[in-house]
Amino acid sequence: MIARRYETAALPDEMALQDDLEHAAELLKRAHVADRLWQFEDSPTLQVNYEFDGHTVNEGDALAGFSPKDSSDYIANITARQQIKKRHHEALVQSFGQHVVSCGYIPTTRLMHPKDLVLHRADQGSNTSDEWLVEAKVVRGGNPTEAVRQAVGQLYEYSHFLYRERKRPEPHLVGLFTEDVGVYSGYLEERGIASIWRDGDGWRGSPRAVGWGMTG
């Protein structure tokens, strides 16, 4: 069960309710995918279908299409097990999205599922083929190995199915992390993937990311 309660004396406005409804719909999609994975986890063939969502961006507002999920904790009851979910992932996307606007980019999250974040240069808008695909990962326990593996897999997968298969220009690839990924930064660069990570109140990154002006 996933729920959000409202005080009847202080109901949010229609836009906030609509955002919550979209959020709930996405959580249901994720729960469905997780259920399928649990059911077929012993099967060597699990196929996921990619469906195009489409998107629009208001050129007058760099943050018009940027609406990351709530970064507060929430409770999910899954098959009689209660789990506390830490939304560090959403907080990472939100913080970086707000930062990258000052670097001259337009961040988009609305209607981008399953992509975490898409960037376009503000001086070119979303009509250009020059697009940056960002996959955000939380580094746990100071060990970036698993986060990097997941980022590489998803970036290549999305680039193939959501761009190449649809005859769209392939995007620039960016792995976004909560902390320094160490030697994996060079590993990612060699594979055409820029890496960016939190550094105190700022952001640091690999040569590609620096060249694109996304750090600082």
Side-chain angles (χ1 to χ4, degrees):
M1 180 185 71
I2 299 173
R4 176 164 292 172
R5 296 180 180 178
Y6 305 104
E7 294 294 334
T8 54
L11 288 173
D13 58 29
E14 184 175 350
M15 182 64 70
L17 289 172
Q18 187 175 21
D19 287 343
D20 287 348
L21 181 60
E22 292 177 359
H23 184 198
E26 183 166 342
L27 288 176
L28 287 173
K29 289 181 182 178
R30 293 184 180 184
H32 174 65
V33 171
D35 184 61
R36 288 178 61 194
L37 288 173
W38 288 334
Q39 289 181 7
F40 299 102
E41 59 183 358
D42 294 327
S43 172
T45 58
L46 175 63
Q47 181 175 348
V48 179
N49 293 322
Y50 291 88
E51 298 180 1
F52 178 63
D53 290 322
H55 70 282
T56 57
V57 175
N58 183 345
E59 301 294 348
D61 182 1
L63 291 172
F66 183 63
S67 181
K69 309 291 187 302
D70 184 3
S71 62
S72 60
D73 298 350
Y74 67 97
I75 296 176
N77 292 308
I78 303 175
T79 61
R81 293 181 301 167
Q82 186 181 75
Q83 300 175 338
I84 304 298
K85 301 292 186 180
K86 299 287 186 180
R87 290 204 185 139
H88 300 310
H89 175 276
E90 284 78 6
L92 176 65
V93 172
Q94 180 177 23
S95 181
F96 180 70
Q98 293 171 342
H99 157 76
V100 83
V101 169
S102 66
C103 302
Y105 289 87
I106 298 174
T108 305
T109 57
R110 286 181 180 272
L111 303 179
M112 287 291 104
H113 184 75
K115 295 176 280 189
D116 282 340
L117 178 65
V118 168
L119 304 175
H120 295 94
R121 291 193 185 276
D123 58 357
Q124 296 178 339
S126 61
N127 294 324
T128 179
S129 61
D130 213 14
E131 184 167 299
W132 283 259
L133 174 61
V134 182
E135 182 64 30
K137 293 297 174 188
V138 175
V139 175
R140 303 187 185 281
N143 187 346
T145 302
E146 187 61 28
V148 169
R149 286 175 178 173
Q150 291 179 5
V152 170
Q154 287 178 258
L155 285 168
Y156 282 166
E157 183 178 328
Y158 297 162
S159 181
H160 177 83
F161 287 106
L162 303 180
Y163 293 85
R164 191 182 313 161
E165 285 284 299
R166 292 174 178 166
K167 310 303 181 184
R168 297 177 57 195
E170 292 184 45
H172 304 292
L173 305 180
V174 181
L176 178 65
F177 304 95
T178 50
E179 59 187 76
D180 191 345
V181 293
V183 296
Y184 284 107
S185 178
Y187 165 81
L188 291 169
E189 281 279 305
E190 290 179 2
R191 283 148 185 80
I193 302 174
S195 55
I196 300 176
W197 58 88
R198 276 190 176 279
D199 181 35
D201 294 331
W203 301 88
R204 294 184 61 191
S206 65
R208 289 175 188 270
V210 173
W212 292 330
M214 294 183 180
T215 59

